[in-house]
Amino acid sequence: MLQGILKNEEGGVKELWALTYPLVLSTASATIMQVVNRIFLAWYSPEALAAVMPAGILSFTFICFFLGTASYTNVFVAQYYGGKRYANLSVSLWQGVWLAVFSSVLIALCIVPGLMIISMSAHTPAVKEMERQYFVITTAAGGMVPLGAALSAFFTGRGKTKVTMIVQVLANAFNILLSYLLIFGKWGFPELGIRGGAIALVAGSFVPVILFLAIILNEKHRRIYRTARLFSFHWPLFAKLLKYGVPNGVGFFLDIASFTVFVFLAGNMGDAVLAANNVIFTINTLAFMPILGVGMAVETLVGQYMGANRPLIAARVAYSGLKLAGMYFLPLAAAFLLLPEPLLHLFSAHSAADMSEIFVIARVILKVLVVFTAFDMIGIIFSNAIRGGGDTKFQMLTSGLCAWFLFVPGVYVLVNRAAPITALWWWGTFYSFMLGAVFYARCRSGRWQSLRLGAHR
């Protein structure tokens, strides 16, 4: 059976795997970094654990529109690479970089409304103060996130995912080390608690930017792709990036913003529920991030085949992506169901306050998480497939309507009726089911295959 799945065919699992495994390792290293950092904060204090998720997701909410827009550079690079139009590839790369540079100013301006949102929450004063500290630091340097994504597109879009893997692993390892030193004050560093975690995250985001720039501007790439000569602002391609990238960014923003509302409203149920919710979101990254890596590979390979004007092979890539993601998810789901205690007790320490109430809540949510992640996997794979073909407007409308006319109103009603936290997660599972079903139907319809970015002409 496995031999049949891994047969050598264009757009098949074997070809996709060659792109996927470095991206999975990259996202896995990011997962390990996030999990370890939150474990450090859980060891530092329960209040720090309760604060990091709301502050982090609020900061990311303001960043994600620009990240979603700039990261669409990957599809342009993939399609121009598939169409062998290397000059357009380099020009598109730099337009993504220019977009990220412009966005850094706008992201920093979001600090004021973000602090207002934290002040209006019903979280305890101690948690609020930590949220403010973490949010301000990570948002002030938030422009590094879309900049790193735009630069990585030069490698991911061409299928050179091993470069991305090496750079991201180095950056995440640096982040983990610096987090330990700054949170706990080791090796002569000051003990900064949650501020240390934020500073380490920001410092780590500079590493890929520096390394990617150094490689992009090396002699080989300057000669083949003229990367040093084509860096100027180019309005026609910048406008095309906005045309397709903005809907992608809006869809990403609406989806992430809905989960931000979820996290903050769940926090109104008390610090124990907020901390348990943060533990579950952290554990969820073990599934979400590697599956997202598969989705990124699907988007890239679909883009390359669409750029080469081979839409039927592009469609095959989506189903290959679902097979790959499923092969990863099934054993992980078994671990969630059969081995909850080892996962949860990573977040306890002999010096921490009693975590028993937090773990009681988290155990129940962990069972729901398995079903949620199964549907989320389907949505990730098929939404990335249609984005690789340029169908970003449909993705934006679907994400926006489902998030803000279905998910958020339901969460609000459940919280105000004092429903248990598991009811909110079951509602989120229904939301992920709806997204997965709609994106699957869109991919199966084939309508997205008629779209073009113009890369094959």
Side-chain angles (χ1 to χ4, degrees):
M1 180 179 176
L2 184 61
Q3 187 176 5
I5 292 175
L6 295 178
K7 63 182 179 180
N8 194 12
E9 63 178 354
E10 292 183 310
V13 171
K14 189 173 183 179
E15 181 184 18
L16 183 62
W17 174 245
L19 281 178
T20 299
Y21 82 85
L23 290 174
V24 169
L25 291 176
S26 298
T27 53
S29 73
T31 300
I32 292 170
M33 179 268 291
Q34 291 181 19
V35 171
V36 171
N37 286 353
R38 289 175 189 174
I39 288 173
F40 287 163
L41 290 171
W43 292 354
Y44 189 78
S45 75
E47 291 80 13
L49 174 62
V52 65
M53 184 67 193
I57 198 171
L58 181 61
S59 176
F60 188 68
T61 300
F62 289 116
I63 295 169
C64 68
F65 165 74
F66 304 100
L67 172 61
T69 305
S71 65
Y72 204 73
T73 307
N74 179 63
V75 177
F76 278 82
V77 170
Q79 293 211 12
Y80 283 126
Y81 184 73
K84 302 186 185 303
R85 298 180 64 182
Y86 298 149
N88 288 57
L89 183 158
S90 293
V91 175
S92 295
L93 165 70
W94 291 116
Q95 302 322 298
V97 170
W98 281 114
L99 176 64
V101 170
F102 297 151
S103 70
S104 62
V105 177
L106 298 177
I107 292 171
L109 293 175
C110 294
I111 291 176
V112 173
L115 290 174
M116 292 173 62
I117 292 172
I118 292 173
S119 297
M120 290 187 294
S121 73
H123 303 170
T124 61
V127 170
K128 278 187 181 182
E129 180 55 33
M130 289 188 177
E131 286 172 347
R132 291 188 189 97
Q133 294 172 7
Y134 193 89
F135 172 78
V136 169
I137 294 170
T138 54
T139 308
M144 290 296 103
V145 178
L147 181 56
L151 290 168
S152 71
F154 179 74
F155 306 98
T156 306
R158 294 182 301 124
K160 309 300 182 183
T161 50
K162 290 182 182 179
V163 177
T164 307
M165 175 190 70
I166 293 170
V167 169
Q168 294 296 345
V169 168
L170 289 173
N172 291 324
F174 174 76
N175 181 288
I176 290 173
L177 175 61
L178 194 58
S179 292
Y180 176 74
L181 298 177
L182 292 178
I183 290 173
F184 299 108
K186 303 295 184 179
W187 299 358
F189 285 82
E191 181 183 329
L192 299 177
I194 196 169
R195 286 183 297 144
I199 292 170
L201 185 66
V202 167
S205 68
F206 279 85
V207 174
V209 170
I210 295 169
L211 294 178
F212 282 142
L213 278 173
I215 302 170
I216 288 169
L217 295 173
N218 68 19
E219 189 276 332
K220 176 184 175 181
H221 293 136
R222 292 200 309 269
R223 174 170 45 83
I224 298 175
Y225 297 98
R226 294 185 286 169
T227 52
R229 295 177 56 192
L230 299 174
F231 70 91
S232 60
F233 185 82
H234 186 273
W235 172 248
L237 274 177
F238 187 83
K240 186 178 285 188
L241 176 60
L242 291 179
K243 177 182 177 181
Y244 291 95
V246 165
N248 188 59
V250 170
F252 193 26
F253 168 78
L254 293 174
D255 184 38
I256 296 298
S258 68
F259 275 93
T260 303
V261 173
F262 175 93
V263 169
F264 271 83
L265 288 179
N268 295 344
M269 299 177 174
D271 282 358
V273 171
L274 180 59
N277 214 35
N278 295 349
V279 168
I280 292 301
F281 267 105
T282 302
I283 292 174
N284 182 46
T285 61
L286 295 171
F288 174 77
M289 294 298 285
I291 291 172
L292 186 62
V294 179
M296 290 165 60
V298 167
E299 179 184 275
T300 298
L301 197 54
V302 166
Q304 290 182 2
Y305 277 117
M306 291 294 285
N309 200 22
R310 304 181 69 186
L312 294 179
I313 305 299
R316 182 185 298 160
V317 173
Y319 298 97
S320 299
L322 188 62
K323 292 175 185 176
L324 267 181
M327 291 167 64
Y328 170 79
F329 168 70
L330 289 176
L332 190 68
F336 285 175
L337 292 174
L338 301 176
L339 302 169
E341 297 303 320
L343 288 171
L344 294 176
H345 281 281
L346 289 172
F347 295 85
S348 65
H350 61 84
S351 59
D354 184 16
M355 303 277 284
S356 59
E357 184 182 0
I358 295 171
F359 288 165
V360 167
I361 299 168
R363 283 188 198 98
V364 180
I365 304 174
L366 194 57
K367 296 176 182 178
V368 186
L369 180 66
V370 173
V371 186
F372 171 88
T373 305
F375 293 129
D376 196 35
M377 172 182 68
I378 296 171
I380 289 171
I381 298 302
F382 288 109
S383 65
N384 273 275
I386 65 174
R387 278 202 297 267
D391 198 6
T392 54
K393 289 183 180 179
F394 180 85
Q395 186 266 342
M396 174 187 71
L397 291 173
T398 300
S399 297
L401 290 173
C402 287
W404 291 93
F405 289 91
L406 177 69
F407 180 52
V408 170
V411 169
Y412 180 80
V413 170
L414 288 170
V415 169
N416 279 276
R417 292 190 176 183
I421 185 65
T422 49
L424 273 68
W425 273 94
W426 278 119
W427 183 246
T429 299
F430 177 68
Y431 162 67
S432 67
F433 164 77
M434 291 297 297
L435 281 180
V438 172
F439 286 133
Y440 168 75
R442 180 67 170 185
C443 192
R444 188 174 176 82
S445 74
R447 293 183 63 184
W448 59 278
Q449 293 171 276
S450 62
L451 299 172
R452 295 290 189 276
L453 302 185
H456 68 288
R457 295 170 188 161

